[in-house]
Amino acid sequence: MEPQPSPTPASGPSAAPGPDPAPPPGAGPDPAAGSGPDAGPGPGARRAAGSRSLAPDLARGLMLLLIALANVSWHLWGRETGITHAHLVEGSALDKVLQALMMIVVDGRSYPLFAFLFGYGMVQFFRSRTDRGLPERTVRRMLRRRHWAMILFGLVHAALLFMGDVLGAYGLAGLLLVWIFFRRRDRTLLVWAGVMWAVLALVAALALFGGIMTILFPEESASAQFAGPSGMQDLTSGAPGFLASVLPRLGIWAVLTVAQVAGLAIPIAILLGWVAARRRLLDDPGSHRAALRRIAVIGIPIGWAGGLPSALYTLGILDIPQQASWMFSALSSTTGIAAGIGYAAVFALIAARLQQSRPPLVRAIAAVGERSLTFYLWQSVVFAIVLSNWGFGVGGWAGTSLALLIAALTWAASIPMAALLASRGARGPAERVLRRLTYGRDDRAAR
C-alpha cells in the first residue's frame, strides 16, 4: 500500500520507521522481502534482527506453502482437468478429498493473501524511505522501478518456468494503483475496495443464475462445449521439449497477467493491505489482537463457505450437470479474498505469541518470508524440472496426492536454505537483483 504522500498519512497513525519486507507471488507480498534499511547484511542487519516485526515475514513464509500447494497442479499434464481449475478429473478417493480441501482452503485464497501482503510491503517500503529523509518524489520513482522490475521478473519467470506467474500481475497492479490511489485516505480506499468487491459479488450472482438456468433448461446448453485448462497445461508442462514450451507459456502469461488485474481480486487485496499497513496491524499485532481476531473469525468462514459448493461437486455429493459446474467459480474467487486476509490475521496472531521467544523453526520460516521472491521462484524451478515433460516427466502420471506432497516437500526444503542465508546475514539472490533494479542512483546506500 502506498501511504499518503507525506510521512504522516491523513488517516491513521503517524508513520514511523518500519522494515521493508517483501513478497514473492504473487507472486503477493512485496517481493523484496528483507529489503528494509536495516535488513541487509552486516552489523545493521544484526541489530535489526531482534527488533524486526515477526508477523509480516512469518505470514510470507507460511503463505509460500499455500502458494506451492496452489501452483503444483498446474504442472500436471496429459489428462483431463475440471472446467475452472487445474485439478485432474480422474483420481483416487484420497485425490478427490484433497482436491475438495484445496478448493475450500487454498484455491483462490492464497493469491489474495499474497496480494494483501504485497500491498502491506509497499507501505513499509514508502515509510522507511521517507523516514530516512528521501523526498516523496524519489520514493515514488523507486516504487515505479520496483513494479516495472516485477513485470520483468514475471516475464522471465513465465518464459522459463511457469505460465501462471503472478509477479507480472502484481507489478502491473502496483503501477496502476499507486498512480490512481496514492494520495487517497483510508476511507476512500475502503469505499473503492467495497465497490470492486460488489462488482465481483454481482458477477458471482449472475454466474449462479446462469448455472441454474443451465440445469433447468439442459437442452439449450447440451451442445455447448466446455474446455478446462488441461490444454494449456499440455502446451506448457506437457510440451515435448523446453523450447517448444516457451512461446505458449509467454502467450498464456500475457493474457493471465491482464486478466488477474481486471479480475479485481488483486487490486482489492492490495488496497486493503495499504489500509492494514497504515494502521500497523502486522507491525504490532500484539496491540491489535481484537481486530485481528475479528478479521480471522469473519473472513475465513466466509472464504471456506464460498469454496464449499465446488468441493461438494468434486466429491460427487452435489449432483449437477458437468456443463453447469462453472457456476461456483466466481463465488469461490469472490469469497476467497476474505479468507486470504483472514489467513494474514491468523499468522499475525501466531506471530504476536511468538514475537519474544521466536523458536528456531519460526525464525527459519520467517527467513523464508524475508526472501519470498527467491523461494517463490525456487518452487517453480523444482516443479518445472520434476514435473514437466521436458524434465523428469512426473507430471504426466502423478496424481493430486503425489503432486501436493512434492509441493509441501519443496516448501520444506526452502526452510533450511533460508535459515542458512539468515545465519550469514545474506539476502536471497532474487532480492539482491530486485533491490539493484529498484534503487538505481536514488538510494545507493540501500543497494
Side-chain angles (χ1 to χ4, degrees):
M1 149 190 155
E2 306 295 324
Q4 257 89 348
S6 62
T8 303
S11 57
S14 62
D20 170 34
D30 184 64
S35 60
D38 299 319
R46 288 191 293 272
R47 283 195 305 271
S51 58
R52 182 181 176 107
S53 178
L54 176 64
D57 293 330
L58 183 63
R60 292 183 181 103
L62 294 171
M63 172 207 68
L64 283 175
L65 172 59
L66 300 181
I67 293 292
L69 296 173
N71 282 350
V72 71
S73 292
W74 291 90
H75 293 269
L76 306 182
W77 49 274
R79 288 153 293 170
E80 184 183 359
T81 66
I83 292 176
T84 59
H85 56 75
H87 298 299
L88 302 175
V89 171
E90 300 297 327
S92 66
L94 177 59
D95 288 340
K96 291 299 178 184
V97 170
L98 291 175
Q99 289 173 8
L101 288 173
M102 288 285 295
M103 292 172 182
I104 294 172
V105 177
V106 177
D107 294 348
R109 284 106 185 94
S110 57
Y111 283 109
L113 167 62
F114 198 151
F116 176 83
L117 294 174
F118 172 68
Y120 199 99
M122 289 165 68
V123 173
Q124 291 182 305
F125 181 95
F126 177 88
R127 179 184 293 147
S128 67
R129 270 69 194 171
T130 55
D131 285 343
R132 287 198 289 115
L134 290 178
E136 179 203 332
R137 176 176 295 187
T138 298
V139 180
R140 291 187 64 170
R141 184 165 59 241
M142 289 193 290
L143 279 171
R144 283 196 299 271
R145 280 203 298 263
R146 170 173 283 193
H147 295 147
W148 279 114
M150 288 178 61
I151 294 174
L152 176 62
F153 265 91
L155 186 149
V156 175
H157 182 210
L160 300 180
L161 299 170
F162 182 39
M163 64 177 174
D165 163 84
V166 294
L167 295 174
Y170 291 160
L172 178 59
L175 287 172
L176 293 174
L177 293 177
V178 169
W179 173 47
I180 298 171
F181 292 108
F182 190 78
R183 294 178 175 272
R184 303 297 183 178
R185 296 175 178 271
D186 288 1
R187 180 179 298 178
T188 303
L189 300 182
L190 292 172
V191 167
W192 275 103
V195 169
M196 288 188 277
W197 188 88
V199 171
L200 290 184
L202 177 61
V203 171
L206 292 174
L208 288 172
F209 177 77
I212 292 171
M213 291 299 101
T214 299
I215 295 170
L216 294 178
F217 305 100
E219 60 278 0
E220 279 77 8
S221 59
S223 60
Q225 298 295 316
F226 297 90
S230 54
M232 295 191 297
Q233 292 164 224
D234 291 346
L235 285 172
T236 55
S237 294
F242 174 76
L243 292 180
S245 69
V246 173
L247 285 180
R249 270 198 306 273
L250 281 175
I252 294 168
W253 170 80
V255 173
L256 288 179
T257 295
V258 176
Q260 288 177 96
V261 177
L264 298 183
I266 288 175
I268 291 171
I270 289 175
L271 291 180
L272 294 177
W274 289 9
V275 175
R278 290 180 180 182
R279 302 180 182 188
R280 302 180 179 276
L281 290 186
L282 304 187
D283 293 271
D284 185 16
S287 300
H288 300 283
R289 282 189 172 90
L292 292 169
R293 288 193 191 101
R294 284 195 298 271
I295 293 170
V297 168
I298 295 173
I300 293 176
I302 290 175
W304 287 4
L308 185 60
S310 296
L312 294 177
Y313 172 77
T314 295
L315 293 173
I317 298 173
L318 190 59
D319 186 15
I320 61 174
Q322 187 258 1
Q323 62 264 32
S325 61
W326 52 267
M327 65 189 290
F328 304 122
S329 177
L331 172 65
S332 179
S333 60
T334 300
T335 57
I337 300 169
I341 297 173
Y343 292 163
V346 169
F347 297 155
L349 289 169
I350 294 172
R353 294 181 65 89
L354 301 174
Q355 177 73 34
Q356 300 303 319
S357 60
R358 299 198 183 204
L361 179 60
V362 170
R363 291 201 305 272
I365 294 174
V368 175
E370 287 187 64
R371 298 155 183 84
S372 54
L373 178 59
T374 291
F375 289 109
Y376 170 68
L377 299 175
W378 152 258
Q379 293 176 3
S380 292
V381 170
V382 174
F383 294 165
I385 293 174
V386 173
L387 299 172
S388 295
N389 192 18
W390 47 266
F392 289 104
V394 175
W397 53 266
T400 298
S401 304
L402 178 56
L404 294 179
L405 176 61
I406 291 171
L409 291 175
T410 301
W411 174 79
S414 67
I415 296 175
M417 291 190 289
L420 179 61
L421 289 172
S423 70
R424 298 179 176 180
R427 299 184 181 94
E431 281 73 25
R432 289 199 297 270
V433 174
L434 183 62
R435 287 174 68 86
R436 185 164 291 274
L437 294 174
T438 295
Y439 297 127
R441 298 179 179 179
D442 292 322
D443 197 354
R444 295 187 177 185
R447 285 179 53 189

PDB file of all heavy atoms in Angstrom, residues 207-222 319-327:
ATOM      1  N   ALA A 207     -23.384 -15.609 -12.323  1.00  0.00           N
ATOM      2  CA  ALA A 207     -22.896 -16.945 -12.667  1.00  0.00           C
ATOM      3  C   ALA A 207     -23.781 -18.025 -12.048  1.00  0.00           C
ATOM      4  O   ALA A 207     -24.103 -19.036 -12.693  1.00  0.00           O
ATOM      5  CB  ALA A 207     -21.448 -17.114 -12.206  1.00  0.00           C
ATOM      6  N   LEU A 208     -24.164 -17.823 -10.799  1.00  0.00           N
ATOM      7  CA  LEU A 208     -25.069 -18.787 -10.161  1.00  0.00           C
ATOM      8  C   LEU A 208     -26.407 -18.848 -10.905  1.00  0.00           C
ATOM      9  O   LEU A 208     -26.962 -19.938 -11.125  1.00  0.00           O
ATOM     10  CB  LEU A 208     -25.298 -18.389  -8.706  1.00  0.00           C
ATOM     11  CG  LEU A 208     -24.114 -18.597  -7.756  1.00  0.00           C
ATOM     12  CD1 LEU A 208     -24.417 -17.982  -6.397  1.00  0.00           C
ATOM     13  CD2 LEU A 208     -23.805 -20.080  -7.600  1.00  0.00           C
ATOM     14  N   PHE A 209     -26.922 -17.697 -11.303  1.00  0.00           N
ATOM     15  CA  PHE A 209     -28.176 -17.664 -12.051  1.00  0.00           C
ATOM     16  C   PHE A 209     -28.025 -18.398 -13.392  1.00  0.00           C
ATOM     17  O   PHE A 209     -28.885 -19.189 -13.790  1.00  0.00           O
ATOM     18  CB  PHE A 209     -28.612 -16.218 -12.285  1.00  0.00           C
ATOM     19  CG  PHE A 209     -29.855 -16.092 -13.109  1.00  0.00           C
ATOM     20  CD1 PHE A 209     -31.109 -16.334 -12.560  1.00  0.00           C
ATOM     21  CD2 PHE A 209     -29.775 -15.723 -14.451  1.00  0.00           C
ATOM     22  CE1 PHE A 209     -32.258 -16.229 -13.330  1.00  0.00           C
ATOM     23  CE2 PHE A 209     -30.911 -15.608 -15.227  1.00  0.00           C
ATOM     24  CZ  PHE A 209     -32.165 -15.862 -14.660  1.00  0.00           C
ATOM     25  N   GLY A 210     -26.918 -18.136 -14.081  1.00  0.00           N
ATOM     26  CA  GLY A 210     -26.686 -18.815 -15.346  1.00  0.00           C
ATOM     27  C   GLY A 210     -26.572 -20.324 -15.189  1.00  0.00           C
ATOM     28  O   GLY A 210     -27.072 -21.089 -16.016  1.00  0.00           O
ATOM     29  N   GLY A 211     -25.906 -20.747 -14.110  1.00  0.00           N
ATOM     30  CA  GLY A 211     -25.803 -22.181 -13.858  1.00  0.00           C
ATOM     31  C   GLY A 211     -27.158 -22.809 -13.583  1.00  0.00           C
ATOM     32  O   GLY A 211     -27.451 -23.926 -14.046  1.00  0.00           O
ATOM     33  N   ILE A 212     -27.980 -22.099 -12.832  1.00  0.00           N
ATOM     34  CA  ILE A 212     -29.321 -22.620 -12.536  1.00  0.00           C
ATOM     35  C   ILE A 212     -30.140 -22.738 -13.824  1.00  0.00           C
ATOM     36  O   ILE A 212     -30.851 -23.734 -14.045  1.00  0.00           O
ATOM     37  CB  ILE A 212     -30.026 -21.702 -11.521  1.00  0.00           C
ATOM     38  CG1 ILE A 212     -29.328 -21.801 -10.169  1.00  0.00           C
ATOM     39  CG2 ILE A 212     -31.507 -22.071 -11.391  1.00  0.00           C
ATOM     40  CD1 ILE A 212     -29.800 -20.788  -9.156  1.00  0.00           C
ATOM     41  N   MET A 213     -30.024 -21.750 -14.704  1.00  0.00           N
ATOM     42  CA  MET A 213     -30.734 -21.829 -15.991  1.00  0.00           C
ATOM     43  C   MET A 213     -30.228 -23.001 -16.827  1.00  0.00           C
ATOM     44  O   MET A 213     -31.010 -23.670 -17.523  1.00  0.00           O
ATOM     45  CB  MET A 213     -30.538 -20.525 -16.767  1.00  0.00           C
ATOM     46  CG  MET A 213     -31.239 -19.310 -16.167  1.00  0.00           C
ATOM     47  SD  MET A 213     -33.043 -19.479 -16.086  1.00  0.00           S
ATOM     48  CE  MET A 213     -33.274 -19.919 -14.347  1.00  0.00           C
ATOM     49  N   THR A 214     -28.946 -23.271 -16.747  1.00  0.00           N
ATOM     50  CA  THR A 214     -28.384 -24.410 -17.480  1.00  0.00           C
ATOM     51  C   THR A 214     -28.957 -25.721 -16.962  1.00  0.00           C
ATOM     52  O   THR A 214     -29.239 -26.644 -17.726  1.00  0.00           O
ATOM     53  CB  THR A 214     -26.852 -24.409 -17.349  1.00  0.00           C
ATOM     54  OG1 THR A 214     -26.329 -23.207 -17.899  1.00  0.00           O
ATOM     55  CG2 THR A 214     -26.238 -25.601 -18.070  1.00  0.00           C
ATOM     56  N   ILE A 215     -29.145 -25.804 -15.644  1.00  0.00           N
ATOM     57  CA  ILE A 215     -29.704 -27.020 -15.050  1.00  0.00           C
ATOM     58  C   ILE A 215     -31.184 -27.174 -15.404  1.00  0.00           C
ATOM     59  O   ILE A 215     -31.660 -28.263 -15.739  1.00  0.00           O
ATOM     60  CB  ILE A 215     -29.512 -26.994 -13.522  1.00  0.00           C
ATOM     61  CG1 ILE A 215     -28.018 -27.033 -13.181  1.00  0.00           C
ATOM     62  CG2 ILE A 215     -30.239 -28.159 -12.859  1.00  0.00           C
ATOM     63  CD1 ILE A 215     -27.715 -26.775 -11.729  1.00  0.00           C
ATOM     64  N   LEU A 216     -31.909 -26.055 -15.376  1.00  0.00           N
ATOM     65  CA  LEU A 216     -33.350 -26.115 -15.636  1.00  0.00           C
ATOM     66  C   LEU A 216     -33.662 -26.347 -17.109  1.00  0.00           C
ATOM     67  O   LEU A 216     -34.679 -26.971 -17.449  1.00  0.00           O
ATOM     68  CB  LEU A 216     -34.006 -24.812 -15.167  1.00  0.00           C
ATOM     69  CG  LEU A 216     -33.993 -24.551 -13.656  1.00  0.00           C
ATOM     70  CD1 LEU A 216     -34.623 -23.205 -13.345  1.00  0.00           C
ATOM     71  CD2 LEU A 216     -34.717 -25.677 -12.920  1.00  0.00           C
ATOM     72  N   PHE A 217     -32.801 -25.852 -17.983  1.00  0.00           N
ATOM     73  CA  PHE A 217     -33.038 -25.980 -19.418  1.00  0.00           C
ATOM     74  C   PHE A 217     -31.825 -26.610 -20.091  1.00  0.00           C
ATOM     75  O   PHE A 217     -31.110 -25.968 -20.869  1.00  0.00           O
ATOM     76  CB  PHE A 217     -33.334 -24.606 -20.040  1.00  0.00           C
ATOM     77  CG  PHE A 217     -34.478 -23.888 -19.379  1.00  0.00           C
ATOM     78  CD1 PHE A 217     -34.235 -22.883 -18.451  1.00  0.00           C
ATOM     79  CD2 PHE A 217     -35.789 -24.227 -19.674  1.00  0.00           C
ATOM     80  CE1 PHE A 217     -35.281 -22.223 -17.835  1.00  0.00           C
ATOM     81  CE2 PHE A 217     -36.853 -23.571 -19.065  1.00  0.00           C
ATOM     82  CZ  PHE A 217     -36.600 -22.572 -18.134  1.00  0.00           C
ATOM     83  N   PRO A 218     -31.558 -27.876 -19.771  1.00  0.00           N
ATOM     84  CA  PRO A 218     -30.336 -28.532 -20.260  1.00  0.00           C
ATOM     85  C   PRO A 218     -30.281 -28.668 -21.772  1.00  0.00           C
ATOM     86  O   PRO A 218     -29.202 -28.698 -22.357  1.00  0.00           O
ATOM     87  CB  PRO A 218     -30.378 -29.900 -19.583  1.00  0.00           C
ATOM     88  CG  PRO A 218     -31.818 -30.121 -19.275  1.00  0.00           C
ATOM     89  CD  PRO A 218     -32.390 -28.782 -18.975  1.00  0.00           C
ATOM     90  N   GLU A 219     -31.446 -28.748 -22.444  1.00  0.00           N
ATOM     91  CA  GLU A 219     -31.423 -28.944 -23.894  1.00  0.00           C
ATOM     92  C   GLU A 219     -30.806 -27.755 -24.615  1.00  0.00           C
ATOM     93  O   GLU A 219     -30.154 -27.910 -25.646  1.00  0.00           O
ATOM     94  CB  GLU A 219     -32.833 -29.206 -24.425  1.00  0.00           C
ATOM     95  CG  GLU A 219     -33.846 -28.079 -24.174  1.00  0.00           C
ATOM     96  CD  GLU A 219     -34.438 -28.138 -22.778  1.00  0.00           C
ATOM     97  OE1 GLU A 219     -34.065 -29.040 -21.994  1.00  0.00           O
ATOM     98  OE2 GLU A 219     -35.277 -27.280 -22.461  1.00  0.00           O
ATOM     99  N   GLU A 220     -30.990 -26.519 -24.065  1.00  0.00           N
ATOM    100  CA  GLU A 220     -30.405 -25.349 -24.704  1.00  0.00           C
ATOM    101  C   GLU A 220     -28.887 -25.311 -24.580  1.00  0.00           C
ATOM    102  O   GLU A 220     -28.208 -24.676 -25.369  1.00  0.00           O
ATOM    103  CB  GLU A 220     -30.977 -24.053 -24.104  1.00  0.00           C
ATOM    104  CG  GLU A 220     -32.320 -23.646 -24.662  1.00  0.00           C
ATOM    105  CD  GLU A 220     -33.464 -24.472 -24.099  1.00  0.00           C
ATOM    106  OE1 GLU A 220     -33.207 -25.262 -23.168  1.00  0.00           O
ATOM    107  OE2 GLU A 220     -34.600 -24.349 -24.597  1.00  0.00           O
ATOM    108  N   SER A 221     -28.334 -25.963 -23.558  1.00  0.00           N
ATOM    109  CA  SER A 221     -26.885 -25.921 -23.347  1.00  0.00           C
ATOM    110  C   SER A 221     -26.206 -27.244 -23.639  1.00  0.00           C
ATOM    111  O   SER A 221     -25.004 -27.370 -23.470  1.00  0.00           O
ATOM    112  CB  SER A 221     -26.590 -25.529 -21.892  1.00  0.00           C
ATOM    113  OG  SER A 221     -27.180 -26.465 -21.008  1.00  0.00           O
ATOM    114  N   ALA A 222     -26.973 -28.218 -24.110  1.00  0.00           N
ATOM    115  CA  ALA A 222     -26.393 -29.544 -24.320  1.00  0.00           C
ATOM    116  C   ALA A 222     -25.300 -29.522 -25.380  1.00  0.00           C
ATOM    117  O   ALA A 222     -24.341 -30.286 -25.318  1.00  0.00           O
ATOM    118  CB  ALA A 222     -27.486 -30.531 -24.714  1.00  0.00           C
ATOM    119  N   ASP A 319     -24.951 -33.084  -7.074  1.00  0.00           N
ATOM    120  CA  ASP A 319     -25.184 -33.695  -8.385  1.00  0.00           C
ATOM    121  C   ASP A 319     -25.753 -32.666  -9.349  1.00  0.00           C
ATOM    122  O   ASP A 319     -26.946 -32.390  -9.364  1.00  0.00           O
ATOM    123  CB  ASP A 319     -26.143 -34.879  -8.232  1.00  0.00           C
ATOM    124  CG  ASP A 319     -26.308 -35.647  -9.542  1.00  0.00           C
ATOM    125  OD1 ASP A 319     -25.472 -35.427 -10.446  1.00  0.00           O
ATOM    126  OD2 ASP A 319     -27.265 -36.442  -9.661  1.00  0.00           O
ATOM    127  N   ILE A 320     -24.893 -32.067 -10.145  1.00  0.00           N
ATOM    128  CA  ILE A 320     -25.320 -31.130 -11.178  1.00  0.00           C
ATOM    129  C   ILE A 320     -24.627 -31.502 -12.484  1.00  0.00           C
ATOM    130  O   ILE A 320     -23.580 -32.176 -12.476  1.00  0.00           O
ATOM    131  CB  ILE A 320     -24.990 -29.675 -10.807  1.00  0.00           C
ATOM    132  CG1 ILE A 320     -23.473 -29.491 -10.644  1.00  0.00           C
ATOM    133  CG2 ILE A 320     -25.722 -29.246  -9.547  1.00  0.00           C
ATOM    134  CD1 ILE A 320     -23.065 -28.052 -10.425  1.00  0.00           C
ATOM    135  N   PRO A 321     -25.167 -31.100 -13.623  1.00  0.00           N
ATOM    136  CA  PRO A 321     -24.525 -31.421 -14.910  1.00  0.00           C
ATOM    137  C   PRO A 321     -23.134 -30.809 -15.006  1.00  0.00           C
ATOM    138  O   PRO A 321     -22.875 -29.732 -14.467  1.00  0.00           O
ATOM    139  CB  PRO A 321     -25.480 -30.803 -15.938  1.00  0.00           C
ATOM    140  CG  PRO A 321     -26.768 -30.620 -15.236  1.00  0.00           C
ATOM    141  CD  PRO A 321     -26.436 -30.383 -13.798  1.00  0.00           C
ATOM    142  N   GLN A 322     -22.270 -31.489 -15.726  1.00  0.00           N
ATOM    143  CA  GLN A 322     -20.901 -31.007 -15.875  1.00  0.00           C
ATOM    144  C   GLN A 322     -20.860 -29.638 -16.545  1.00  0.00           C
ATOM    145  O   GLN A 322     -20.039 -28.784 -16.187  1.00  0.00           O
ATOM    146  CB  GLN A 322     -20.087 -32.015 -16.704  1.00  0.00           C
ATOM    147  CG  GLN A 322     -18.599 -31.694 -16.793  1.00  0.00           C
ATOM    148  CD  GLN A 322     -18.221 -31.070 -18.133  1.00  0.00           C
ATOM    149  OE1 GLN A 322     -19.083 -30.857 -18.981  1.00  0.00           O
ATOM    150  NE2 GLN A 322     -16.943 -30.775 -18.290  1.00  0.00           N
ATOM    151  N   GLN A 323     -21.784 -29.374 -17.466  1.00  0.00           N
ATOM    152  CA  GLN A 323     -21.767 -28.086 -18.155  1.00  0.00           C
ATOM    153  C   GLN A 323     -22.220 -26.927 -17.278  1.00  0.00           C
ATOM    154  O   GLN A 323     -22.133 -25.770 -17.673  1.00  0.00           O
ATOM    155  CB  GLN A 323     -22.631 -28.141 -19.426  1.00  0.00           C
ATOM    156  CG  GLN A 323     -24.106 -28.414 -19.187  1.00  0.00           C
ATOM    157  CD  GLN A 323     -24.430 -29.891 -19.342  1.00  0.00           C
ATOM    158  OE1 GLN A 323     -23.587 -30.737 -19.042  1.00  0.00           O
ATOM    159  NE2 GLN A 323     -25.632 -30.195 -19.820  1.00  0.00           N
ATOM    160  N   ALA A 324     -22.703 -27.230 -16.058  1.00  0.00           N
ATOM    161  CA  ALA A 324     -23.092 -26.167 -15.132  1.00  0.00           C
ATOM    162  C   ALA A 324     -22.107 -26.013 -13.982  1.00  0.00           C
ATOM    163  O   ALA A 324     -22.294 -25.160 -13.110  1.00  0.00           O
ATOM    164  CB  ALA A 324     -24.491 -26.437 -14.574  1.00  0.00           C
ATOM    165  N   SER A 325     -21.035 -26.800 -13.967  1.00  0.00           N
ATOM    166  CA  SER A 325     -20.123 -26.797 -12.821  1.00  0.00           C
ATOM    167  C   SER A 325     -19.342 -25.498 -12.687  1.00  0.00           C
ATOM    168  O   SER A 325     -18.805 -25.207 -11.618  1.00  0.00           O
ATOM    169  CB  SER A 325     -19.143 -27.979 -12.934  1.00  0.00           C
ATOM    170  OG  SER A 325     -18.364 -27.879 -14.114  1.00  0.00           O
ATOM    171  N   TRP A 326     -19.296 -24.706 -13.754  1.00  0.00           N
ATOM    172  CA  TRP A 326     -18.585 -23.424 -13.701  1.00  0.00           C
ATOM    173  C   TRP A 326     -19.310 -22.398 -12.830  1.00  0.00           C
ATOM    174  O   TRP A 326     -18.738 -21.352 -12.497  1.00  0.00           O
ATOM    175  CB  TRP A 326     -18.431 -22.840 -15.102  1.00  0.00           C
ATOM    176  CG  TRP A 326     -19.734 -22.777 -15.855  1.00  0.00           C
ATOM    177  CD1 TRP A 326     -20.236 -23.714 -16.709  1.00  0.00           C
ATOM    178  CD2 TRP A 326     -20.709 -21.737 -15.797  1.00  0.00           C
ATOM    179  NE1 TRP A 326     -21.457 -23.330 -17.200  1.00  0.00           N
ATOM    180  CE2 TRP A 326     -21.778 -22.112 -16.652  1.00  0.00           C
ATOM    181  CE3 TRP A 326     -20.798 -20.531 -15.125  1.00  0.00           C
ATOM    182  CZ2 TRP A 326     -22.910 -21.315 -16.832  1.00  0.00           C
ATOM    183  CZ3 TRP A 326     -21.922 -19.734 -15.303  1.00  0.00           C
ATOM    184  CH2 TRP A 326     -22.967 -20.126 -16.150  1.00  0.00           C
ATOM    185  N   MET A 327     -20.549 -22.668 -12.468  1.00  0.00           N
ATOM    186  CA  MET A 327     -21.373 -21.673 -11.804  1.00  0.00           C
ATOM    187  C   MET A 327     -20.826 -21.239 -10.440  1.00  0.00           C
ATOM    188  O   MET A 327     -21.154 -20.173  -9.938  1.00  0.00           O
ATOM    189  CB  MET A 327     -22.806 -22.192 -11.638  1.00  0.00           C
ATOM    190  CG  MET A 327     -22.922 -23.398 -10.727  1.00  0.00           C
ATOM    191  SD  MET A 327     -24.581 -24.152 -10.748  1.00  0.00           S
ATOM    192  CE  MET A 327     -25.563 -22.905  -9.909  1.00  0.00           C
TER     193      MET A 327
END
